Amino acid sequence: MRAKEFGTWSRKAAEWGVEYRDTLRERPVRAQTGPGEIAARIADNAPETGHDMETIFADFEAIIVPGMTHWQHPRFFAYFPANAAPVSVVAEYLVTVMAAQCMLWQTSPAATELETKVMDWLRQALGLPADFTGVIQDSASSATLNAVLVMREKALGWKGNVEGLVGNDQIRIYSSSQVHTSIDRAIWVSGVGERNLVRIPVTGKSRGMDVAALETAIIADQQAGLLPAGIIACVGGTSVGACDNIAEVAAVARKHGLYLHVDAAWAGSAMICPEYRVFWDGIEGADSIVFNPHKWLGASFDCSVQFIRKPEELVRTLAIHPEFLKTHGHDGIINYSEWSVPLGRRFRALKLWFLLRYHGLEGLRAMIRNHVKWSEMVAARLAAEPDFEIVTEPFLSLFSFRHKGAGDPDAHNLALVNAINDDGRIYLTQTRVDGAIVIRFQAGQFDMTEGDAKTAVDVIIEVSRRA
Ligand code: PLP
């Protein structure tokens, strides 16, 4: 593609994007296509000769867009948000155009040095102490894997990478049942093994780990000759926002010399608001924290931030120095590829820099506070309806509810959530609380208004009356 055509189609894509964002409310939030419907419209082989851009773009609009679920739709209330603020999309275009591979300082000094700066902006914005250092990972799953690998290496006296796990002491890691499945995966991939992930029961409304049970489990493992290595706590669990008591968990970790990783993938963004930091009180006692600006904050996917107290431990676990990756002649530089499992790195700091400068922390705080307020409003309105029950009260902007209908309650609520999503005006998802199906509601989309929250209540009530 030559420069003139590149310009034409770049402008066309930008114009399409502006129109798309502007008209999202007219589209159903969740794709309304059945399995295989889109695939049936796509050729079975790559073309031998190239197609013109008019045809390709027309097919994109006709075939692909109808099969998209619109995550940037202001009435997306499912899962957690994956916000891509327009200013971050602009930054991503620039990143895509430069398409630099930012694995080492010298492969793009600006990418490394900007990352260092915006990580410290975010550390301050979240109220974390100065002894935390941030790094951008592709996902929370990767950050958690990193943390588990450090737990493993520290516990094994840095021998695991060389010797493997066979013949070494049996590592044990502790978490509640409320943590995300990325924790299970990290345990599998690190070789620790699911059997060595000790699930601590949860207590109370916050569904946090029973800290006495945690300590009992650690001591029992020590006495049995096993090797406690670390604890994974959560702040804002995926299902209904469970929160461990970080101060108490950190005290246990400290007492027994265990590494503490905190998964705040979704809720971490809210910590730019000082009043919500009570939910992770004691966070300064963590060794590693992950939160995803690509969820609530507005930095387009992917952008996951890991704060680490001792980056040298992560580098000791992951760094490899073949000659072709050495940077000769420069001392004191950071090569962020030594802080993550993948070698290659996209330039992710640019969109954070654009986002934080354009909206300012006050702008982002206002958005998050509104989401919390509107979620509480939706919960209050549903609570006032005789046939709705709030199952878990709002934690930040997430709560769950159930509709009382005829027949089996699980089947009824699954049918209701499907009917709501088939309607298309809003998008919700379900989870289980104490074994029973509930419907989740989270407010978090970047362009959401109070009107969208009111529409959500109206749609839920209207569809429930039809169900
Ligand atoms: N942790 C929590 C609490 C989550 O909610 C999620 C995803 O929703 C993850 C981890 C995994 O995030 P990622 O997709 O960035 O790996």
Side-chain angles (χ1 to χ4, degrees):
M1 186 178 274
R2 295 196 185 279
K4 189 157 176 271
E5 197 184 8
F6 180 41
T8 303
W9 288 101
S10 293
R11 279 187 288 276
K12 169 100 176 155
E15 279 158 18
W16 186 92
V18 173
E19 167 84 7
Y20 169 76
R21 287 290 181 96
D22 213 33
T23 55
L24 270 172
R25 280 195 183 80
E26 294 159 24
R27 299 172 192 258
V29 191
R30 195 207 56 193
Q32 302 287 319
T33 52
E37 226 175 276
I38 305 295
R41 300 186 62 194
I42 299 172
D44 290 332
N45 311 97
E48 291 295 334
T49 54
H51 292 173
D52 59 70
M53 273 302 290
E54 276 80 11
T55 309
I56 298 169
F57 206 92
D59 283 349
F60 160 71
E61 288 190 289
I63 301 173
I64 304 301
V65 178
M68 295 304 292
T69 290
H70 302 296
W71 283 71
Q72 304 312 315
H73 196 299
R75 294 195 298 267
F76 182 101
F77 304 116
Y79 307 101
F80 282 139
N83 285 333
V87 65
S88 131
V89 175
V90 172
E92 273 292 45
Y93 183 74
L94 303 177
V95 167
T96 308
V97 164
M98 293 187 287
Q101 230 288 19
C102 304
M103 57 191 176
L104 307 172
W105 172 83
Q106 71 172 353
T107 63
S108 275
T112 297
E113 293 180 19
L114 183 64
E115 181 160 340
T116 306
K117 284 286 190 179
V118 293
M119 288 300 89
D120 205 56
W121 286 13
L122 276 182
R123 178 193 64 73
Q124 295 172 53
L126 267 59
L128 293 172
D131 61 349
F132 278 98
T133 307
V135 54
I136 308 181
Q137 308 287 356
D138 55 1
S139 64
S141 304
S142 294
T144 296
L145 175 61
N146 290 346
V148 170
L149 292 172
V150 174
M151 288 177 195
R152 188 192 77 183
E153 286 306 293
K154 276 191 83 172
L156 293 179
W158 310 100
K159 290 187 307 191
N161 278 341
V162 176
E163 295 180 0
L165 300 187
V166 178
N168 270 313
D169 288 344
Q170 194 175 330
I171 288 172
R172 305 284 273 177
I173 291 175
Y174 308 83
S175 78
S176 81
S177 56
Q178 296 293 311
V179 293
H180 188 260
T181 50
S182 53
I183 279 75
D184 301 61
R185 285 215 177 118
I187 295 288
W188 301 349
V189 174
S190 62
V192 170
E194 187 85 38
R195 250 186 284 159
N196 294 309
L197 176 61
V198 184
R199 299 287 188 179
I200 306 300
V202 296
T203 57
K205 269 177 88 172
S206 63
R207 290 167 197 270
M209 269 188 267
D210 176 339
V211 179
L214 169 67
E215 188 159 22
T216 304
I218 294 168
I219 293 169
D221 282 350
Q222 285 165 340
Q223 287 170 349
L226 306 174
L227 186 57
I231 304 170
I232 301 175
C234 70
V235 175
T238 317
S239 180
V240 290
C243 272
D244 289 315
N245 183 324
I246 301 300
E248 290 182 8
V249 172
V252 172
R254 210 164 32 246
K255 182 168 164 195
H256 294 277
L258 304 190
Y259 191 94
L260 173 60
H261 174 66
V262 177
D263 178 0
W266 162 66
S269 293
M271 302 308 164
I272 63 170
C273 306
E275 68 271 29
Y276 301 136
R277 291 183 195 151
V278 59
F279 293 123
W280 74 2
D281 227 11
I283 193 69
E284 61 284 353
D287 296 289
S288 162
I289 305 160
V290 64
F291 98 101
N292 283 357
H294 71 223
K295 282 188 158 57
W296 204 351
L297 208 60
S300 57
F301 189 81
D302 48 2
C303 185
S304 180
V305 171
Q306 184 179 12
F307 286 107
I308 318 154
R309 201 210 296 273
K310 291 188 181 153
E312 62 277 13
E313 292 177 343
L314 181 60
V315 172
R316 185 166 179 189
T317 301
L318 295 178
I320 301 182
H321 296 117
E323 184 56 37
F324 56 82
L325 291 179
K326 286 186 181 152
T327 306
H328 293 292
H330 291 282
D331 291 332
I333 53 154
I334 298 175
N335 289 323
Y336 279 120
S337 57
E338 296 176 351
W339 301 43
S340 56
V341 174
L343 172 67
R345 308 190 94 237
R346 294 175 357 86
F347 182 8
R348 299 192 185 91
L350 195 72
K351 59 194 168 196
L352 272 174
W353 194 50
F354 274 44
L355 177 82
L356 294 170
R357 292 182 65 190
Y358 183 81
H359 290 281
L361 290 170
E362 266 311 312
L364 297 171
R365 286 187 195 112
M367 171 190 72
I368 284 173
R369 288 175 178 140
N370 276 336
H371 289 154
V372 173
K373 187 172 70 188
W374 296 333
S375 177
E376 286 167 355
M377 184 268 281
V378 172
R381 276 198 55 196
L382 289 179
E385 293 288 318
D387 46 353
F388 280 94
E389 172 199 359
I390 302 302
V391 179
T392 56
E393 294 293 332
F395 166 70
L396 295 173
S397 62
L398 169 67
F399 71 93
S400 67
F401 65 94
R402 206 164 17 221
H403 183 247
K404 300 170 203 160
D408 174 60
D410 282 1
H412 175 74
N413 280 279
L414 281 176
L416 175 59
V417 81
N418 282 335
I420 288 169
N421 295 335
D422 288 345
D423 171 90
R425 282 173 289 172
I426 66 171
Y427 185 22
L428 302 176
T429 41
Q430 76 288 337
T431 187
R432 282 187 188 272
V433 171
D434 301 329
I437 291 286
V438 296
I439 302 176
R440 283 169 90 257
F441 180 93
Q442 69 76 27
Q445 208 286 323
F446 209 81
D447 297 323
M448 178 192 174
T449 62
E450 188 171 3
D452 294 310
K454 289 181 177 155
T455 303
V457 187
D458 293 344
V459 171
I460 293 167
I461 294 172
E462 183 193 314
V463 177
S464 74
R465 291 193 178 139
R466 279 193 248 136

